[in-house]
Amino acid sequence: MATDNRINFWRRNAKVPGSVQPVYGAQHPPLDPRLRRTYPKDIKPKFNNLKSKKASSFHEFARSTNDAWDIDDEEDEDFLGTHAPISSLPSGLHSTSMQNQQQQNQAGVTETGVSHRLPAPRTEAQNLQDAQEEDTDCEHVNGKVVKSSSDAHLNASSEELRKHSWSGIPREVRPITWRLLSGYLPANKERRELVLKRKREEYFGFIEQYYHSRTDEHYKDTYRQIHIDIPRTNPLIPLFQQPVVQEVFERILFIWAIRHPASGYVQGINDLVTPFFVVFLSEFVTEDVENFDVAALPLDTQRNIEADSFWCMSKLLDGIQDNYTFAQPGIQNKVKALEELVSRIDEDIHNHFKKYEVEYLQFAFRWMNNLLMRELPLRCTIRLWDTYQAEAEGFSHFHLYVCAAFLIEWRKEILSMVDFQGLLMLLQNLPTIHWGNEEVGLLLAEAYRLKYMFADAPSHYKR
């Protein structure tokens, strides 16, 4: 079912990369022609013919083959076994292997008695950084070390990055990792600076071309609703009450709305900007981000954060576009799927809701519309999105299982409520204020278990 939806989604949008086609006769802003780039179907690296005449002496033979051993430092670490991520070890050996390695590092002596200091254990941030840079690594072809930029190699690097990111991304590498995982930043390292420069200029080109129209008769209702919703976005966090930040959000949401006339602006989309804005701001702020004065940053830095937030939010919304089109069919379908799933995994909760006439739409609509952002502290949302961006169809498909796991988490409290009003008040004000990474990690583990059991067998949760 998820595969069919994905195929149908891209079939509908194949002609307009990164956006949606005009519908209902709406006028869609022209796309930058540079977005319509094409790639060769098959790019094969050309290598020099390595065959040569027979070496006349051992020294000539050695000179003709010595480059086969020119491995880089990273490959040398792989050979020593120190670069493998901890997660690849059997669960019972994590602490043992780390302890042995630390003892060897402290001793600095090998079995042969020769002093030799092994590299220090690698952190998860280093593993993520390696995965980000793997697309420009070298590979061996016929004994030669050559540069590779093949699609297969880039895909392998992306998968490695996703694998490391699923369990959480360290703060210092989260901004670049999110850009890569969202598809905003290319995997090819050599193209990144050029792409960032072009996309940032393109966004502010949209601002110059369209933002003045916010007061036009055709768009004034959209802008008015955005202007009303912005102060309601995370009202308890000082960062989002700053005039300069609210102006950034107004520009992002207005430009997105007029470039996506199939949905336009819908309440709830304003929340989806906040995690990207905070993560990209954290790249330049070491102290508490939630209380930082954004106006103190250089103007160019503010502009880059704004443009990156716009494009990454756009990438996210491309995958859940039907959540915000007329009648919001995507959300309706997801709420129905949640009801069917809960009826199979916890019949007691399902019957309890039926007994007290609680409709799933009354609480789960917000869970789907805002991706649980109104139910969790911002720090937990950011950790949750690490996994959503690492998981295939995380926002559109995996989120369903996270919502099911989230509901079951409050099983005891739900069953203790014996009236309609008490149940709704609980479900709309769940006590997660003190949640952190540990609680989110357990929630994701349960969601993964549910997905493993039901995702490939949807008939299991249909009566």
Side-chain angles (χ1 to χ4, degrees), residues 142-183:
N142 296 334
K144 282 279 189 179
V145 178
V146 296
K147 289 285 182 183
S148 171
S149 59
S150 66
D151 289 343
H153 191 68
L154 294 177
N155 289 340
S157 300
S158 297
E159 287 305 311
E160 187 73 11
L161 180 60
R162 292 181 187 280
K163 183 183 74 173
H164 286 300
S165 302
W166 204 98
S167 298
I169 302 171
R171 184 181 188 273
E172 60 269 24
V173 294
R174 183 176 276 131
I176 186 173
T177 304
W178 274 29
R179 292 187 186 102
L180 287 165
L181 292 177
S182 67

Short mmCIF file of all heavy atoms in Angstrom, two decimals, residues 142-183:
data_model
loop_
_atom_site.label_atom_id
_atom_site.label_comp_id
_atom_site.label_asym_id
_atom_site.label_seq_id
_atom_site.Cartn_x
_atom_site.Cartn_y
_atom_site.Cartn_z
N ASN A 142 40.93 -2.78 -10.69
CA ASN A 142 42.10 -3.44 -11.28
C ASN A 142 43.39 -3.05 -10.59
O ASN A 142 44.41 -2.79 -11.23
CB ASN A 142 42.21 -3.10 -12.78
CG ASN A 142 41.04 -3.64 -13.56
OD1 ASN A 142 40.42 -4.63 -13.14
ND2 ASN A 142 40.71 -3.01 -14.68
N GLY A 143 43.33 -2.95 -9.29
CA GLY A 143 44.54 -2.66 -8.53
C GLY A 143 44.85 -1.19 -8.41
O GLY A 143 45.81 -0.81 -7.77
N LYS A 144 44.06 -0.33 -9.03
CA LYS A 144 44.29 1.11 -8.96
C LYS A 144 43.31 1.75 -7.99
O LYS A 144 42.19 1.29 -7.83
CB LYS A 144 44.08 1.74 -10.34
CG LYS A 144 45.25 1.55 -11.29
CD LYS A 144 46.32 2.56 -11.00
CE LYS A 144 47.41 2.53 -12.08
NZ LYS A 144 48.44 3.54 -11.80
N VAL A 145 43.73 2.84 -7.36
CA VAL A 145 42.83 3.62 -6.53
C VAL A 145 42.31 4.77 -7.36
O VAL A 145 43.09 5.60 -7.84
CB VAL A 145 43.56 4.15 -5.28
CG1 VAL A 145 42.62 4.99 -4.44
CG2 VAL A 145 44.11 3.01 -4.47
N VAL A 146 40.99 4.81 -7.58
CA VAL A 146 40.42 5.83 -8.44
C VAL A 146 39.24 6.47 -7.74
O VAL A 146 38.61 5.90 -6.87
CB VAL A 146 39.94 5.22 -9.78
CG1 VAL A 146 41.11 4.67 -10.56
CG2 VAL A 146 38.89 4.15 -9.56
N LYS A 147 38.92 7.69 -8.15
CA LYS A 147 37.75 8.39 -7.64
C LYS A 147 36.49 7.78 -8.24
O LYS A 147 36.45 7.42 -9.40
CB LYS A 147 37.81 9.87 -7.99
CG LYS A 147 38.87 10.63 -7.20
CD LYS A 147 38.42 10.85 -5.78
CE LYS A 147 39.48 11.66 -5.02
NZ LYS A 147 39.10 11.81 -3.62
N SER A 148 35.44 7.68 -7.43
CA SER A 148 34.19 7.14 -7.91
C SER A 148 33.05 8.05 -7.53
O SER A 148 32.93 8.47 -6.39
CB SER A 148 33.94 5.75 -7.32
OG SER A 148 32.65 5.30 -7.61
N SER A 149 32.19 8.36 -8.48
CA SER A 149 30.99 9.15 -8.19
C SER A 149 29.77 8.47 -8.79
O SER A 149 28.81 9.12 -9.16
CB SER A 149 31.14 10.57 -8.76
OG SER A 149 31.35 10.51 -10.15
N SER A 150 29.82 7.17 -8.89
CA SER A 150 28.73 6.42 -9.50
C SER A 150 27.48 6.48 -8.63
O SER A 150 27.55 6.71 -7.42
CB SER A 150 29.12 4.96 -9.72
OG SER A 150 29.32 4.33 -8.48
N ASP A 151 26.33 6.29 -9.27
CA ASP A 151 25.06 6.31 -8.53
C ASP A 151 25.04 5.25 -7.45
O ASP A 151 24.54 5.47 -6.35
CB ASP A 151 23.89 6.08 -9.49
CG ASP A 151 23.67 7.27 -10.39
OD1 ASP A 151 24.19 8.36 -10.05
OD2 ASP A 151 23.02 7.12 -11.43
N ALA A 152 25.59 4.07 -7.76
CA ALA A 152 25.57 2.98 -6.79
C ALA A 152 26.36 3.36 -5.54
O ALA A 152 25.95 3.07 -4.42
CB ALA A 152 26.15 1.71 -7.41
N HIS A 153 27.50 4.01 -5.75
CA HIS A 153 28.34 4.39 -4.61
C HIS A 153 27.65 5.45 -3.76
O HIS A 153 27.67 5.40 -2.53
CB HIS A 153 29.68 4.91 -5.12
CG HIS A 153 30.70 5.09 -4.04
ND1 HIS A 153 31.26 4.03 -3.36
CD2 HIS A 153 31.25 6.20 -3.51
CE1 HIS A 153 32.12 4.48 -2.46
NE2 HIS A 153 32.13 5.80 -2.53
N LEU A 154 27.01 6.43 -4.44
CA LEU A 154 26.30 7.47 -3.70
C LEU A 154 25.12 6.89 -2.93
O LEU A 154 24.84 7.29 -1.81
CB LEU A 154 25.82 8.54 -4.67
CG LEU A 154 26.90 9.37 -5.36
CD1 LEU A 154 26.27 10.35 -6.33
CD2 LEU A 154 27.76 10.11 -4.35
N ASN A 155 24.43 5.94 -3.54
CA ASN A 155 23.30 5.30 -2.85
C ASN A 155 23.77 4.55 -1.62
O ASN A 155 23.12 4.57 -0.57
CB ASN A 155 22.57 4.34 -3.80
CG ASN A 155 21.79 5.09 -4.87
OD1 ASN A 155 21.48 6.26 -4.70
ND2 ASN A 155 21.50 4.41 -5.96
N ALA A 156 24.91 3.86 -1.74
CA ALA A 156 25.45 3.13 -0.59
C ALA A 156 25.82 4.09 0.53
O ALA A 156 25.59 3.81 1.70
CB ALA A 156 26.67 2.31 -1.03
N SER A 157 26.38 5.25 0.17
CA SER A 157 26.73 6.25 1.18
C SER A 157 25.49 6.79 1.88
O SER A 157 25.48 6.98 3.09
CB SER A 157 27.49 7.41 0.52
OG SER A 157 28.68 6.95 -0.10
N SER A 158 24.44 7.02 1.10
CA SER A 158 23.19 7.52 1.68
C SER A 158 22.59 6.51 2.65
O SER A 158 22.11 6.88 3.72
CB SER A 158 22.18 7.84 0.56
OG SER A 158 22.67 8.86 -0.27
N GLU A 159 22.63 5.24 2.28
CA GLU A 159 22.11 4.21 3.17
C GLU A 159 22.91 4.12 4.46
O GLU A 159 22.36 3.92 5.54
CB GLU A 159 22.10 2.85 2.45
CG GLU A 159 21.03 2.73 1.39
CD GLU A 159 19.64 3.02 1.94
OE1 GLU A 159 19.29 2.45 3.00
OE2 GLU A 159 18.91 3.83 1.34
N GLU A 160 24.22 4.27 4.34
CA GLU A 160 25.08 4.24 5.53
C GLU A 160 24.74 5.42 6.45
O GLU A 160 24.65 5.28 7.67
CB GLU A 160 26.54 4.31 5.11
CG GLU A 160 27.53 4.11 6.25
CD GLU A 160 27.59 2.67 6.74
OE1 GLU A 160 27.03 1.77 6.07
OE2 GLU A 160 28.21 2.44 7.80
N LEU A 161 24.51 6.58 5.85
CA LEU A 161 24.16 7.76 6.64
C LEU A 161 22.81 7.57 7.34
O LEU A 161 22.65 7.92 8.51
CB LEU A 161 24.11 8.99 5.73
CG LEU A 161 23.75 10.33 6.39
CD1 LEU A 161 24.75 10.68 7.48
CD2 LEU A 161 23.66 11.43 5.35
N ARG A 162 21.85 7.00 6.64
CA ARG A 162 20.54 6.76 7.23
C ARG A 162 20.64 5.77 8.38
O ARG A 162 19.98 5.92 9.41
CB ARG A 162 19.56 6.25 6.17
CG ARG A 162 19.20 7.29 5.13
CD ARG A 162 18.21 6.76 4.10
NE ARG A 162 18.01 7.73 3.04
CZ ARG A 162 17.22 8.79 3.12
NH1 ARG A 162 16.53 8.99 4.24
NH2 ARG A 162 17.08 9.63 2.13
N LYS A 163 21.45 4.75 8.21
CA LYS A 163 21.61 3.73 9.26
C LYS A 163 22.15 4.36 10.54
O LYS A 163 21.65 4.08 11.63
CB LYS A 163 22.55 2.63 8.78
CG LYS A 163 22.73 1.49 9.79
CD LYS A 163 23.72 0.46 9.30
CE LYS A 163 25.15 0.99 9.39
NZ LYS A 163 26.15 -0.05 9.07
N HIS A 164 23.14 5.24 10.41
CA HIS A 164 23.72 5.88 11.59
C HIS A 164 22.76 6.90 12.20
O HIS A 164 22.79 7.14 13.41
CB HIS A 164 25.03 6.59 11.22
CG HIS A 164 26.19 5.66 10.99
ND1 HIS A 164 26.66 4.81 11.96
CD2 HIS A 164 26.95 5.43 9.90
CE1 HIS A 164 27.68 4.11 11.48
NE2 HIS A 164 27.87 4.46 10.23
N SER A 165 21.91 7.51 11.37
CA SER A 165 21.03 8.58 11.85
C SER A 165 19.79 8.07 12.55
O SER A 165 19.16 8.82 13.30
CB SER A 165 20.61 9.47 10.66
OG SER A 165 21.74 10.02 10.02
N TRP A 166 19.41 6.82 12.29
CA TRP A 166 18.13 6.31 12.79
C TRP A 166 18.05 6.41 14.32
O TRP A 166 17.00 6.74 14.87
CB TRP A 166 17.95 4.85 12.36
CG TRP A 166 16.52 4.41 12.29
CD1 TRP A 166 15.73 4.35 11.17
CD2 TRP A 166 15.69 3.96 13.38
NE1 TRP A 166 14.47 3.89 11.49
CE2 TRP A 166 14.41 3.65 12.83
CE3 TRP A 166 15.87 3.78 14.73
CZ2 TRP A 166 13.35 3.17 13.61
CZ3 TRP A 166 14.81 3.33 15.51
CH2 TRP A 166 13.57 3.02 14.95
N SER A 167 19.13 6.15 15.00
CA SER A 167 19.14 6.14 16.47
C SER A 167 19.47 7.49 17.08
O SER A 167 19.74 7.59 18.27
CB SER A 167 20.13 5.09 16.98
OG SER A 167 19.74 3.80 16.55
N GLY A 168 19.44 8.55 16.27
CA GLY A 168 19.71 9.89 16.79
C GLY A 168 20.99 10.46 16.23
O GLY A 168 21.98 9.75 16.07
N ILE A 169 20.97 11.76 15.95
CA ILE A 169 22.11 12.45 15.34
C ILE A 169 22.73 13.40 16.34
O ILE A 169 22.02 14.19 16.98
CB ILE A 169 21.65 13.23 14.09
CG1 ILE A 169 20.98 12.29 13.09
CG2 ILE A 169 22.83 13.95 13.44
CD1 ILE A 169 20.30 13.01 11.94
N PRO A 170 24.04 13.37 16.54
CA PRO A 170 24.68 14.32 17.46
C PRO A 170 24.45 15.76 17.02
O PRO A 170 24.38 16.05 15.82
CB PRO A 170 26.18 13.95 17.36
CG PRO A 170 26.18 12.53 16.90
CD PRO A 170 25.00 12.38 16.00
N ARG A 171 24.33 16.65 17.98
CA ARG A 171 23.97 18.04 17.71
C ARG A 171 24.92 18.71 16.73
O ARG A 171 24.48 19.46 15.84
CB ARG A 171 23.98 18.83 19.04
CG ARG A 171 23.53 20.28 18.93
CD ARG A 171 23.61 20.96 20.29
NE ARG A 171 23.00 22.29 20.30
CZ ARG A 171 23.65 23.39 19.97
NH1 ARG A 171 24.93 23.33 19.62
NH2 ARG A 171 23.02 24.56 20.01
N GLU A 172 26.23 18.42 16.84
CA GLU A 172 27.20 19.14 16.03
C GLU A 172 27.13 18.80 14.55
O GLU A 172 27.59 19.59 13.71
CB GLU A 172 28.62 18.91 16.56
CG GLU A 172 29.08 17.45 16.57
CD GLU A 172 28.76 16.76 17.88
OE1 GLU A 172 27.83 17.22 18.58
OE2 GLU A 172 29.44 15.76 18.19
N VAL A 173 26.59 17.66 14.19
CA VAL A 173 26.51 17.29 12.77
C VAL A 173 25.06 17.22 12.28
O VAL A 173 24.81 16.85 11.14
CB VAL A 173 27.22 15.94 12.48
CG1 VAL A 173 28.71 16.06 12.72
CG2 VAL A 173 26.62 14.82 13.32
N ARG A 174 24.13 17.57 13.14
CA ARG A 174 22.71 17.46 12.74
C ARG A 174 22.34 18.39 11.58
O ARG A 174 21.63 17.97 10.67
CB ARG A 174 21.82 17.74 13.95
CG ARG A 174 20.33 17.58 13.65
CD ARG A 174 19.48 17.76 14.87
NE ARG A 174 19.37 16.53 15.66
CZ ARG A 174 19.56 16.44 16.96
NH1 ARG A 174 19.91 17.52 17.65
NH2 ARG A 174 19.42 15.29 17.60
N PRO A 175 22.82 19.66 11.54
CA PRO A 175 22.41 20.53 10.42
C PRO A 175 22.76 19.97 9.06
O PRO A 175 21.90 19.87 8.18
CB PRO A 175 23.16 21.84 10.71
CG PRO A 175 23.35 21.85 12.20
CD PRO A 175 23.58 20.41 12.57
N ILE A 176 24.00 19.57 8.85
CA ILE A 176 24.38 19.05 7.54
C ILE A 176 23.72 17.71 7.26
O ILE A 176 23.33 17.39 6.14
CB ILE A 176 25.92 18.95 7.39
CG1 ILE A 176 26.28 18.55 5.96
CG2 ILE A 176 26.51 17.96 8.39
CD1 ILE A 176 27.77 18.59 5.68
N THR A 177 23.54 16.90 8.30
CA THR A 177 22.89 15.59 8.12
C THR A 177 21.44 15.76 7.71
O THR A 177 20.96 15.05 6.81
CB THR A 177 22.99 14.76 9.41
OG1 THR A 177 24.36 14.64 9.80
CG2 THR A 177 22.43 13.36 9.18
N TRP A 178 20.73 16.68 8.32
CA TRP A 178 19.34 16.92 7.94
C TRP A 178 19.24 17.42 6.49
O TRP A 178 18.34 17.04 5.76
CB TRP A 178 18.69 17.94 8.89
CG TRP A 178 18.12 17.31 10.13
CD1 TRP A 178 18.56 16.17 10.74
CD2 TRP A 178 17.02 17.78 10.90
NE1 TRP A 178 17.80 15.91 11.86
CE2 TRP A 178 16.85 16.88 11.98
CE3 TRP A 178 16.18 18.87 10.80
CZ2 TRP A 178 15.86 17.05 12.95
CZ3 TRP A 178 15.18 19.05 11.76
CH2 TRP A 178 15.04 18.14 12.82
N ARG A 179 20.18 18.28 6.08
CA ARG A 179 20.16 18.75 4.70
C ARG A 179 20.35 17.59 3.73
O ARG A 179 19.71 17.55 2.67
CB ARG A 179 21.26 19.80 4.48
CG ARG A 179 21.05 21.12 5.21
CD ARG A 179 22.10 22.14 4.79
NE ARG A 179 22.02 23.36 5.58
CZ ARG A 179 22.83 23.67 6.58
NH1 ARG A 179 23.80 22.83 6.93
NH2 ARG A 179 22.70 24.81 7.24
N LEU A 180 21.23 16.67 4.09
CA LEU A 180 21.48 15.51 3.23
C LEU A 180 20.29 14.55 3.22
O LEU A 180 19.85 14.10 2.17
CB LEU A 180 22.74 14.78 3.70
CG LEU A 180 24.08 15.47 3.40
CD1 LEU A 180 25.19 14.85 4.24
CD2 LEU A 180 24.41 15.37 1.92
N LEU A 181 19.77 14.24 4.40
CA LEU A 181 18.68 13.26 4.50
C LEU A 181 17.40 13.77 3.83
O LEU A 181 16.62 12.97 3.29
CB LEU A 181 18.40 12.92 5.96
CG LEU A 181 19.49 12.13 6.71
CD1 LEU A 181 19.10 11.93 8.17
CD2 LEU A 181 19.73 10.77 6.04
N SER A 182 17.18 15.07 3.87
CA SER A 182 15.96 15.61 3.26
C SER A 182 16.05 15.67 1.75
O SER A 182 15.04 15.88 1.08
CB SER A 182 15.68 17.02 3.81
OG SER A 182 16.68 17.93 3.38
N GLY A 183 17.26 15.49 1.21
CA GLY A 183 17.44 15.57 -0.23
C GLY A 183 17.70 16.98 -0.72
O GLY A 183 17.79 17.21 -1.93
#
